[in-house]
Amino acid sequence: MFPRKDLFALPEGIVYLNGNSLGPLPKSVTPRVEAVLTQEWGKRLILGWSECRWMEQPIRVGNQVARIIGAPSGSVVMGDTLSIKIYQALAAALEMRPKRKVVLSDTGNFPSDLYIARGLLSSLDKGHELRTVAPGDIPERINAGVAAVMLTETDYRTGRRHDMESVSRAARDAGAVMIWDLAHSAGAFPVDVAGCGCEFAVGCTYKFLNGGPGAPAFIYIRPDLTERAVPALSGWLGHETPFAFEADYRPASSIERMRVGTPPVIQMTALEEAMRIWENLDMDELHSASIALSELFIAEVEARCDGLSLAGPRDPALRGSQVSFTSRHGEAVIQALANRGVIGDFRAPDTMRFGIAPLYLDETDILAAVDALEDIMSSHIRDGRLSNMP
Amino acid sequence: MFPRKDLFALPEGIVYLNGNSLGPLPKSVTPRVEAVLTQEWGKRLILGWSECRWMEQPIRVGNQVARIIGAPSGSVVMGDTLSIKIYQALAAALEMRPKRKVVLSDTGNFPSDLYIARGLLSSLDKGHELRTVAPGDIPERINAGVAAVMLTETDYRTGRRHDMESVSRAARDAGAVMIWDLAHSAGAFPVDVAGCGCEFAVGCTYKFLNGGPGAPAFIYIRPDLTERAVPALSGWLGHETPFAFEADYRPASSIERMRVGTPPVIQMTALEEAMRIWENLDMDELHSASIALSELFIAEVEARCDGLSLAGPRDPALRGSQVSFTSRHGEAVIQALANRGVIGDFRAPDTMRFGIAPLYLDETDILAAVDALEDIMSSHIRDGRLSNMP
């Protein structure tokens, strides 16, 4: 079943291990975007909103994403950016637990999530505290003072995963609202937001879902709670009847209450087309392929490359679809790899990240990447120093 | 100098009087977007952020918009939607006037602006009041209790304009922060945000600027106040050094502090290309052409069409680049016009709106529109009732 390289416009001679930052271009996206420009915007003009169903695109694409993350149809809507969707989820969560004053997160969370949370708490000025603890300490730190537990499931640096089910259960048992950021999870392995019972989930779509640079984010609300979720950023397209231009805001009864302003039709068309790839994919098979490639990569690197340490879990069940190694020369090594067509990335101070996307990677790619890495580590590092880096 | 129809991919046989809702497709947008897809995203992948300067696009396009609205370079940044930029402007304004509790707006403001304001004030829960008064009463209602005056310069239904300079002066004299929404102003006529001294301005780019469906919004901060503007929605791309992934948020010292998340590169590319049309345009000449076409339209309609009343100001100096008429049959008339290729739009209960964009409209178009309108009004309205509407 994998890989499906024929679906992607990957450049010749590139081994792309950075789909955890920005997925590659699906071939069918270009003609589809071109059609929306020339046939829809160009020819239908304003009528595109109704006749070409642009207005419904955020919920239509939301349903595509729902399938990937184990959410029921109608519980996910697209829009804006992940930072904005985190803001909306956290603001709604705090309204659900007005007497509790702690937002619990971990030190491995993506900084923007923490920035957004701190900014929101500061502007609310109601005595909330953002408490960040070590990832492993999360379950024991969830208590009756916690309004919301806000976590990124997969650590962006190391690939370490939280156990969504047990953490969500701990939150529920303590009466806290659970918010999952699935940025590095959606499209990487099976996710079951409905099964874990979390109240909110958010994520981006330009990584494993290949939606393109700046593709819109998604937000999920547990369906029984939708009408209790007060929408921060109460823009007109979250209104029950936006085109009635009523004086007062009435949130939509559906997940669409989390819409804000005019959706980016051209950008979302790229995502909508990219999401068609997932229609007939089996996420368990994809995950198995990811694990096989990741295990091969780790085994080969550890057998052939000195000076690299695996970062994050060795157990593939605890790891997202990425492999990270640390090296004091990490930044230079990533650059040297790029010069040889192997694209990973670097996160300070010493982490080299490699995204494993079985949609367009096979064993040959993994071995070619390790060949390049072995050569760099053996030929250009002498006495712990870099020399003659290509 | 006008029109420049050759720049636009307008369908044959259409008179497009709805550029105040969604501008038409500039011809050069399609190849440019295609190049970003295939040559940038497709070939450069993650490196596009640096090598193709995607990361700087929001400030680069902001500078294109700045020129249109009389703002200095470096004072405007693009992103998100107008509703979100209103939220940021108002939140920052309230932080600047913590002791004042009134947000003053008018009943002609676009509903989403008011929804956003009410939502923000409600979540802050600090005793603020959103006070909406008749547009003409605004100057006298600005007093020492007003924290922020938040107005849309051009009324979306009637085209009535506020006087930016005198209203901004009244706000300044009363110590209130002035926020202008330029949704129907940017690209319609000369705007001088710097000259009027307002603290904030926001707007969208899919109307007269022809940026495409869902094109990103802009926000301006008066440069001397940038570092005092506390960014609501404190996402990572508003950080001084986003890629340092610091634990704490430090807002950028520049206007880029109003950035939030990953910018929509594909969508913004359409806008960036559309904005090239404005590089050598004289806004005064454009405005003169708009007035000439508008006056022709009004004179012909009033001479030839019974049952229509001009909505909004008769004095072109008080009117945006649109003409509105009211009719009890407005909705049916707009539909009948569309059936004949004349595209306007309808706003309940009785307003027919016609956007006047001299970039792609000439006298022939205006006369053709009036011909159609005259025929509809004379042939199909009998005894005040509609009949045989085509």
Side-chain angles (χ1 to χ4, degrees):
Chain A
M1 186 171 188
F2 301 107
R4 296 294 310 274
K5 293 192 190 200
D6 56 307
L7 298 175
F8 294 91
L10 281 163
E12 282 292 315
I14 292 287
V15 176
Y16 193 60
L17 301 174
N18 212 338
N20 53 324
S21 280
L22 176 68
L25 171 67
K27 285 179 184 168
S28 65
V29 162
T30 308
R32 178 69 194 129
V33 168
E34 193 180 348
V36 167
L37 291 172
T38 59
Q39 304 306 305
E40 298 191 0
W41 178 17
K43 294 221 166 82
R44 305 313 301 153
L45 295 151
I46 189 69
L47 301 175
W49 287 109
S50 52
E51 294 181 2
C52 307
R53 302 190 306 136
W54 297 342
M55 197 49 81
E56 305 148 47
Q57 197 180 32
I59 193 81
R60 200 165 63 234
V61 180
N63 284 333
Q64 292 177 305
V65 171
R67 188 185 159 277
I68 306 296
I69 62 169
S73 183
S75 65
V76 175
V77 73
M78 312 303 299
D80 311 303
T81 63
L82 177 49
S83 293
I84 285 172
K85 292 307 172 198
I86 274 280
Y87 186 87
Q88 288 185 296
L90 183 57
L94 296 179
E95 296 256 14
M96 290 176 176
R97 299 290 185 275
K99 293 183 179 164
R100 297 183 177 210
K101 296 300 179 189
V102 174
V103 175
L104 184 67
S105 189
D106 71 38
T107 52
N109 206 345
F110 189 67
S112 196
D113 294 29
L114 302 176
Y115 300 161
I116 285 282
R118 263 196 214 97
L120 173 61
L121 300 187
S122 168
S123 70
L124 290 178
D125 194 18
K126 291 176 184 170
H128 287 97
E129 171 200 351
L130 174 64
R131 189 174 294 165
T132 53
V133 303
D137 293 344
I138 283 288
E140 70 193 55
R141 299 295 293 274
I142 303 175
N143 59 40
V146 174
V149 182
M150 182 188 85
L151 297 170
T152 297
E153 192 213 358
T154 307
D155 186 294
Y156 73 107
R157 291 162 305 192
T158 65
R160 172 207 42 75
R161 288 174 62 183
H162 281 292
D163 178 348
M164 279 181 73
E165 202 200 328
S166 69
V167 174
S168 299
R169 190 184 328 116
R172 188 165 57 252
D173 289 348
V177 175
M178 184 72 232
I179 303 168
W180 287 110
D181 176 344
L182 302 175
H184 292 262
S185 308
F189 43 76
V191 174
D192 186 7
V193 293
C196 81
C198 67
E199 282 82 354
F200 295 94
V202 297
C204 63
T205 59
Y206 45 77
K207 299 178 185 291
F208 292 100
L209 297 176
N210 312 305
F218 63 82
I219 185 167
Y220 158 86
I221 306 179
R222 207 177 74 197
D224 60 302
L225 295 174
T226 305
E227 298 201 45
R228 287 177 50 204
V230 178
L233 302 166
S234 45
W236 66 316
L237 291 187
H239 195 285
E240 180 72 20
T241 56
F243 291 93
F245 299 101
E246 293 174 6
D248 290 323
Y249 179 77
R250 284 188 298 126
S253 51
S254 73
I255 184 69
E256 298 201 63
R257 64 175 50 200
M258 290 297 162
R259 294 178 65 166
V260 183
T262 306
V265 173
I266 301 166
Q267 189 82 41
M268 208 172 314
T269 293
L271 171 62
E272 183 168 20
E273 184 61 31
M275 288 303 300
R276 293 187 57 202
I277 291 175
W278 301 86
E279 283 169 10
N280 296 306
L281 280 188
D282 183 306
M283 291 304 296
D284 288 313
E285 285 183 41
L286 183 87
H287 193 205
S288 297
S290 163
I291 290 173
L293 293 175
S294 300
E295 294 291 285
L296 174 68
F297 188 55
I298 293 169
E300 292 285 324
V301 168
E302 293 191 332
R304 294 158 54 185
C305 305
D306 289 332
L308 301 180
S309 305
L310 180 67
R314 188 165 292 276
D315 179 353
L318 306 179
R319 193 173 62 221
S321 201
Q322 74 173 68
V323 173
S324 296
F325 290 96
T326 55
S327 161
R328 52 188 289 212
H329 303 299
E331 189 161 17
V333 172
I334 284 291
Q335 183 58 55
L337 282 170
N339 294 345
R340 297 168 189 225
V342 178
I343 313 296
D345 73 4
F346 175 76
R347 288 291 178 260
D350 60 3
T351 301
M352 304 189 293
R353 307 191 308 171
F354 302 98
I356 308 295
L359 276 175
Y360 47 85
L361 293 170
D362 59 21
E363 289 189 10
T364 307
D365 295 313
I366 297 298
L367 294 175
V370 181
D371 288 345
L373 192 54
E374 178 183 15
D375 183 58
I376 291 163
M377 297 308 292
S378 64
S379 310
H380 300 283
I381 298 189
R382 291 272 177 273
D383 306 323
R385 299 182 49 161
L386 247 82
S387 66
N388 303 321
M389 191 62 77
Chain B
M1 185 171 187
F2 303 105
R4 296 293 310 275
K5 293 192 191 199
D6 56 308
L7 298 175
F8 294 90
L10 281 163
E12 282 292 315
I14 291 288
V15 176
Y16 193 60
L17 301 174
N18 212 339
N20 53 322
S21 281
L22 176 68
L25 170 68
K27 286 180 184 168
S28 65
V29 162
T30 307
R32 179 68 194 127
V33 169
E34 193 180 345
V36 167
L37 291 172
T38 59
Q39 304 305 305
E40 298 191 1
W41 178 16
K43 294 222 166 83
R44 306 311 303 150
L45 295 151
I46 190 68
L47 301 174
W49 287 109
S50 52
E51 293 181 3
C52 307
R53 303 191 306 136
W54 296 342
M55 198 47 83
E56 305 148 47
Q57 197 180 32
I59 194 79
R60 197 163 67 235
V61 180
N63 283 335
Q64 292 177 306
V65 171
R67 185 183 162 276
I68 306 295
I69 62 168
S73 184
S75 65
V76 175
V77 74
M78 313 303 298
D80 310 302
T81 64
L82 177 49
S83 292
I84 285 171
K85 292 307 172 198
I86 274 279
Y87 186 87
Q88 289 185 295
L90 183 58
L94 297 179
E95 296 257 12
M96 290 176 176
R97 299 290 185 276
K99 293 182 181 165
R100 296 182 177 212
K101 297 300 179 190
V102 174
V103 175
L104 184 67
S105 189
D106 70 37
T107 52
N109 205 345
F110 189 67
S112 196
D113 294 29
L114 302 176
Y115 300 162
I116 284 283
R118 262 195 215 100
L120 173 60
L121 300 187
S122 168
S123 69
L124 291 178
D125 193 18
K126 291 176 184 168
H128 287 97
E129 172 199 351
L130 174 64
R131 189 175 292 166
T132 52
V133 303
D137 293 344
I138 283 287
E140 69 193 56
R141 299 294 293 274
I142 303 175
N143 59 41
V146 174
V149 182
M150 181 188 86
L151 297 170
T152 297
E153 191 213 0
T154 306
D155 186 293
Y156 74 106
R157 290 162 305 192
T158 65
R160 173 208 39 78
R161 287 175 61 184
H162 280 291
D163 179 347
M164 277 181 73
E165 201 199 329
S166 69
V167 173
S168 299
R169 188 183 329 114
R172 188 164 57 252
D173 289 348
V177 175
M178 184 73 230
I179 303 168
W180 286 109
D181 176 344
L182 303 174
H184 292 262
S185 307
F189 44 76
V191 174
D192 186 7
V193 293
C196 81
C198 66
E199 283 83 354
F200 295 94
V202 296
C204 63
T205 59
Y206 45 77
K207 299 177 184 292
F208 292 100
L209 297 176
N210 312 307
F218 63 83
I219 185 166
Y220 158 86
I221 305 178
R222 208 178 73 197
D224 60 301
L225 294 174
T226 306
E227 298 201 42
R228 286 177 52 203
V230 178
L233 301 167
S234 46
W236 66 314
L237 291 187
H239 194 284
E240 180 71 21
T241 57
F243 291 93
F245 299 102
E246 294 175 4
D248 289 324
Y249 179 76
R250 285 187 300 126
S253 52
S254 73
I255 184 70
E256 297 201 64
R257 64 175 50 200
M258 290 297 164
R259 293 177 66 166
V260 184
T262 306
V265 173
I266 301 166
Q267 189 83 40
M268 207 170 319
T269 293
L271 172 62
E272 183 167 22
E273 183 62 31
M275 289 303 300
R276 294 188 56 202
I277 291 174
W278 302 86
E279 282 169 10
N280 297 305
L281 279 188
D282 183 304
M283 291 303 296
D284 288 314
E285 284 183 43
L286 183 86
H287 193 204
S288 298
S290 161
I291 290 172
L293 293 176
S294 300
E295 294 290 282
L296 175 68
F297 188 56
I298 293 169
E300 292 285 325
V301 167
E302 294 191 331
R304 294 158 56 185
C305 304
D306 288 332
L308 301 180
S309 305
L310 181 66
R314 188 164 293 276
D315 179 354
L318 306 179
R319 194 175 60 222
S321 202
Q322 75 174 68
V323 173
S324 296
F325 291 96
T326 55
S327 160
R328 52 186 291 211
H329 303 299
E331 188 162 17
V333 172
I334 284 291
Q335 183 58 53
L337 282 169
N339 294 345
R340 295 168 190 226
V342 178
I343 314 294
D345 73 5
F346 175 76
R347 288 291 178 258
D350 60 3
T351 302
M352 302 189 293
R353 309 192 307 173
F354 302 98
I356 308 295
L359 276 175
Y360 49 84
L361 293 170
D362 58 21
E363 289 189 9
T364 307
D365 296 313
I366 298 297
L367 294 174
V370 181
D371 287 346
L373 191 55
E374 178 185 14
D375 183 57
I376 291 164
M377 298 307 291
S378 64
S379 310
H380 301 281
I381 298 189
R382 291 272 178 274
D383 306 323
R385 300 183 47 164
L386 247 81
S387 66
N388 301 322
M389 190 62 78

